[in-house]
Amino acid sequence: EAGVAQSPRYKIIEKRQSVAFWCNPISGHATLYWYQQILGQGPKLLIQFQNNGVVDDSQLPKDRFSAERLKGVDSTLKIQPAKLEDSAVYLCASSSLGYQAFFGQGTRLTVV
Amino acid sequence: DQQVKQNSPSLSVQEGRISILNCDYTNSMFDYFLWYKKYPAEGPTFLISISSIKDKNEDGRFTVFLNKSAKHLSLHIVPSQPGDSAVYFCAASSGNTGKLIFGQGTTLQVKP
């Protein structure tokens, strides 16, 4: 079974620039998550999709972050404009039934 | 408001001995708990979980204990192996939402 695919693996941008991350979940997984992991902390949920509908985006900074899930499969997370404090690893995860989420390798974003 | 806490940032044990990783939580509504393991430059991988209706779950060398009255869970690894060296995250969820609240992580080093 193929895992969760994310791209790019690494990204360096200047502050105020925009950036986008892509995620392809495990086939058949209806639920997709984006987590932000800042160095030294645990992952924090940004947004949760059920198929192509948003279930929870309470911790998404909506003034600069946006996310969409196309046709209930792939998803993109965008930051515009980026701030220094957005430097983190952005993890995509997916799940079918239950609590166990499968994570991708993540995208390490550095904002300079 | 840190609902899930791992108060030990790091732990070092000798190969063959027991590793005990601890996790405390504050939200009594949590009904499912998971442990994830993370190697550098990889996403977290699921290790073991426990429902709040149980107080112990075992899978090979890994056992998770849940003490609901103390709002405390622990992961026991016995015997510890050098390949177990990684960051371990405790996570909790409630109401079958799939949303995971993570602790800060504990870095385990198993010395040969």
Side-chain angles (χ1 to χ4, degrees):
Chain A
E1 169 177 86
V4 176
Q6 289 189 248
S7 66
R9 288 296 311 278
Y10 305 93
K11 190 75 176 178
I12 300 175
I13 62 171
E14 295 183 349
K15 59 184 179 183
R16 292 187 290 273
Q17 285 187 323
S18 63
V19 65
F21 312 127
W22 173 82
C23 173
N24 180 242
I26 293 172
S27 177
H29 281 192
T31 308
L32 185 146
Y33 315 82
W34 284 101
Y35 283 85
Q36 178 193 59
Q37 185 182 6
I38 293 172
L39 187 64
Q41 299 180 19
K44 182 185 81 171
L45 181 69
L46 292 175
I47 189 167
Q48 177 181 350
F49 292 94
Q50 181 75 19
N51 296 308
N52 61 355
V54 175
V55 173
D56 186 340
D57 64 356
S58 58
Q59 302 223 67
L60 186 73
K62 299 180 187 63
D63 57 333
R64 298 183 301 106
F65 286 64
S66 64
E68 61 178 0
R69 189 174 184 193
L70 305 173
K71 299 180 181 178
V73 182
D74 292 5
S75 178
T76 56
L77 176 70
K78 297 179 181 178
I79 307 174
Q80 181 180 14
K83 292 185 176 182
L84 295 176
E85 59 260 37
D86 298 333
S87 295
V89 175
Y90 290 85
L91 294 161
C92 180
S94 68
S95 66
S96 55
L97 299 173
Y99 297 95
Q100 185 183 335
F102 295 83
F103 284 83
Q105 291 183 297
T107 296
R108 180 175 295 278
L109 174 67
T110 302
V111 183
V112 297
Chain B
D1 178 24
Q2 190 74 27
Q3 298 186 67
V4 179
K5 294 182 181 181
Q6 295 176 255
N7 292 316
S8 298
S10 63
L11 175 67
S12 182
V13 300
Q14 207 66 35
E15 180 179 7
R17 305 294 292 270
I18 185 171
S19 296
I20 300 176
L21 295 94
N22 294 303
C23 178
D24 297 295
Y25 62 96
T26 58
N27 189 341
S28 58
M29 298 300 292
F30 288 145
D31 57 8
Y32 203 79
F33 303 89
L34 306 88
W35 285 93
Y36 280 82
K37 180 168 73 173
K38 186 181 182 304
Y39 292 118
E42 294 185 13
T45 55
F46 171 76
L47 192 57
I48 192 170
S49 63
I50 188 167
S51 164
S52 61
I53 63 173
K54 296 185 176 182
D55 55 18
K56 176 183 175 181
N57 188 28
E58 190 172 354
D59 183 3
R61 298 186 296 114
F62 304 91
T63 303
V64 56
F65 295 91
L66 176 61
N67 182 334
K68 283 184 292 184
S69 61
K71 294 190 177 67
H72 176 84
L73 64 156
S74 61
L75 174 68
H76 292 210
I77 306 173
V78 56
S80 300
Q81 299 173 355
D84 296 329
S85 298
V87 179
Y88 289 78
F89 290 100
C90 169
S93 186
S94 63
N96 202 25
T97 63
K99 175 182 178 178
L100 297 176
I101 308 296
F102 283 86
Q104 310 95 307
T106 296
T107 300
L108 172 66
Q109 181 185 28
V110 181
K111 297 179 179 179

